[in-house]
Amino acid sequence: MRRIRAARVLAVVLTLLGIQLTWFLSPAWACGCGAMVVDPAQQIAVSDEQSVLRWDGRQEQIVMRLTVTGDAHRAAWIMPVPHRATVRLADPAVFDQLARAVAPVHRTRHHFWPRGGDWPFDDHADGAAAAPAPGAGAVGVVGRQRLGPFDVARLTATDPAALEDWLRANGFALPARLRTALRPYVAEHWEYVAVRLAPDAEGTALAGALDPLHLTFAADRPVYPMRLSRLASTPQSLGLYVLAAHRMEPSTSIGGLPPRTVFAGRLDAPRGALGTLAHGAPYLTALTQRFPQPARISGDHELRRAGTDTPVRQVIDDEELDRIAGVPAWLLTVAGLAVLLAAAIAVVVVRRSRRPVLPPPPVSPPPPLA
C-alpha cells in the first residue's frame, strides 16, 4: 500500500512539473477569444476564460473575464471584432449568476452493496484531478479610454505590419506567427480592441481574475472569434454562454471535437447583472467544446438557431449507500444473517447434545464349534 501511495504522489509531482515546464517552453500567445502579447523575457498564461455572447438579431455583446498567471508585469490583449466596438467594464456578478442558472440537477440514487469510495473499499490516498468598417490609413485609433486597470484602444488596420508598429510604439512586440494569424481579419476589414493590462501595484506580476470587459458591436449574425486559438501549442477547451431569443448552436466544429450543449432553456425572470444582459434575449444556451489539436482550428464560431428550443439540463446522480441509523444496511444484513446462522448451528448442537444415548444391542456368544 505504501508503494502504491508513493507512486501516486510521484505521478502528481511529475505532472505539476510538466505543466510548469510547458509554461516556460510554450508562452501563451493565444486564448480562446483573442491573443496575449507579452515581453519575450516574461511569461503569462490564461488559466481560465469565461465568456458570454448576447445577440438580439442586430447587435452582439461579448462579456469576457480572464484569469491569468505568470511573472509578467504588463501585457497586451488583442480582440478582433467584425464591426466597430464600444468597450466598458462589466459586472463580474453575471458569471456567478450564469453558473447558478446552468448548475446540474443532483439526483440521489441509493445502492445496497458497497462500491468504490464506500467502506471497506474507500481509498484515502491523495490524488490529482485529472477546463467591419476600415478607417483611413494603415492603422487608425478610433478611440482610447482608461477602464480601471486597462488602457483600451480601438483600432482599424489594413496591414498586420501596421498593427505591429502600433504595438511596438506602445511597448510590445508582435510575435511573427500572431501577425500571420491576423491577416484573415485584416482582409475582411475587421477592427481590433487592443487592451494594455497592468497590475494596480507597480512592479507586481499580473495574476488572478481580471476585471471583465463588455464589448458591443453591430452583427447581422452571431460570431465568436476563435481563429487565433490555433496558435496554442496545448489542447484548448471552450466554454461559452449564449443569450438569444432561441436556442443556438455552432454551424460547424471548426476543427475541434463536436460541440456539446450542457444547458438550454429560458431564464425565469433573472435579476441584477444577468437580468440586464438577458433583456430581449431570454434563452440561454451553454456550450462546451474541446480542441485536441488547436492547429486544426479553421475559423471563427458562427452560431445559428437550433432546430428546436428543446430544453437541456445535466443531471448528476449522487450515489448513496443505504444506511439504517447511520450503519450500512448491507453490514447489518450480513451481521444479522451471521447471527441467525450461528444461532441455527447452536440449536443443532444443543439438540444433538440432549439426545439420549441408546445402549448398544446385546452381543450373543457364537455357537460352539462341532
Side-chain angles (χ1 to χ4, degrees):
M1 180 62 72
R2 291 182 178 177
R3 290 182 179 179
I4 295 175
R5 291 183 178 179
R8 290 181 178 178
V9 172
L10 180 59
V12 172
V13 172
L14 291 176
T15 300
L16 293 176
L17 290 175
I19 293 173
Q20 292 180 351
L21 183 61
T22 300
W23 285 357
F24 285 107
L25 295 179
S26 303
W29 297 123
C31 55
C33 189
M36 281 286 185
V37 182
V38 69
D39 189 314
Q42 298 177 335
Q43 302 292 329
I44 191 169
V46 180
S47 60
D48 183 48
E49 176 184 344
Q50 295 178 303
S51 298
V52 52
L53 183 155
R54 179 196 182 277
W55 185 65
D56 60 8
R58 297 176 300 173
Q59 188 183 73
E60 181 174 332
Q61 301 178 43
I62 294 179
V63 181
M64 173 177 290
R65 179 172 64 181
L66 303 178
T67 300
V68 299
T69 58
D71 61 359
H73 293 176
R74 61 192 187 95
W77 172 63
I78 301 172
M79 172 71 172
V81 289
H83 292 270
R84 186 156 301 175
T86 60
V87 187
R88 60 184 174 87
L89 289 178
D91 188 345
V94 69
F95 293 104
D96 297 329
Q97 291 181 273
L98 285 167
R100 289 192 296 268
V102 305
V105 175
H106 287 261
R107 179 176 60 189
T108 302
R109 298 182 63 179
H110 294 270
H111 56 272
F112 181 78
W113 294 110
R115 302 177 181 177
D118 297 327
W119 183 88
F121 305 118
D122 52 349
D123 186 1
H124 299 288
D126 293 336
V139 170
V141 180
V142 298
R144 194 160 186 174
Q145 59 193 129
R146 184 76 182 182
L147 297 174
F150 304 132
D151 178 12
V152 180
R154 291 173 291 132
L155 311 173
T156 63
T158 58
D159 183 358
L163 180 60
E164 180 180 10
D165 292 340
W166 186 91
L167 287 170
R168 185 182 296 109
N170 284 271
F172 298 100
L174 185 67
R177 58 178 185 160
L178 182 55
R179 180 174 63 248
T180 301
L182 287 171
R183 286 176 180 170
Y185 293 118
V186 174
E188 296 173 10
H189 304 295
W190 281 40
E191 297 192 2
Y192 313 96
V193 174
V195 182
R196 186 166 56 181
L197 315 175
D200 294 332
E202 186 69 25
T204 59
L206 287 164
L210 305 177
D211 292 337
L213 289 174
H214 188 145
L215 287 72
T216 303
F217 49 88
D220 55 0
R221 66 184 187 278
V223 58
Y224 187 73
M226 283 290 298
R227 197 173 303 176
L228 298 184
S229 293
R230 64 179 300 142
L231 302 180
S233 57
T234 58
Q236 300 291 294
S237 60
L238 170 66
L240 179 64
Y241 300 103
V242 182
L243 288 166
H246 300 277
R247 178 175 165 178
M248 305 295 286
E249 64 182 11
S251 300
T252 67
S253 60
I254 63 169
L257 298 180
R260 188 166 64 95
T261 300
V262 296
F263 178 89
R266 294 191 178 276
L267 296 175
D268 185 17
R271 299 181 179 180
L274 180 56
T276 301
L277 187 62
H279 181 71
Y283 201 101
L284 173 62
T285 309
L287 303 166
T288 63
Q289 187 179 13
R290 291 277 300 164
F291 296 90
Q293 297 177 289
R296 300 182 63 179
I297 295 176
S298 57
D300 301 318
H301 258 318
E302 294 187 5
L303 303 169
R304 65 188 180 191
R305 179 178 174 178
T308 66
D309 285 345
T310 304
V312 174
R313 187 149 202 165
Q314 288 183 299
V315 177
I316 296 178
D317 291 327
D318 296 323
E319 299 291 341
E320 184 173 322
L321 187 66
D322 288 330
R323 297 177 181 272
I324 300 176
V327 181
W330 71 268
L331 185 58
L332 291 176
T333 302
V334 171
L337 291 175
V339 170
L340 290 176
L341 180 60
I345 294 174
V347 168
V348 171
V349 172
V350 170
R351 286 182 177 180
R352 287 186 176 182
S353 65
R354 291 181 178 179
R355 287 180 181 177
V357 179
L358 299 177
V363 178
S364 301
L369 297 173

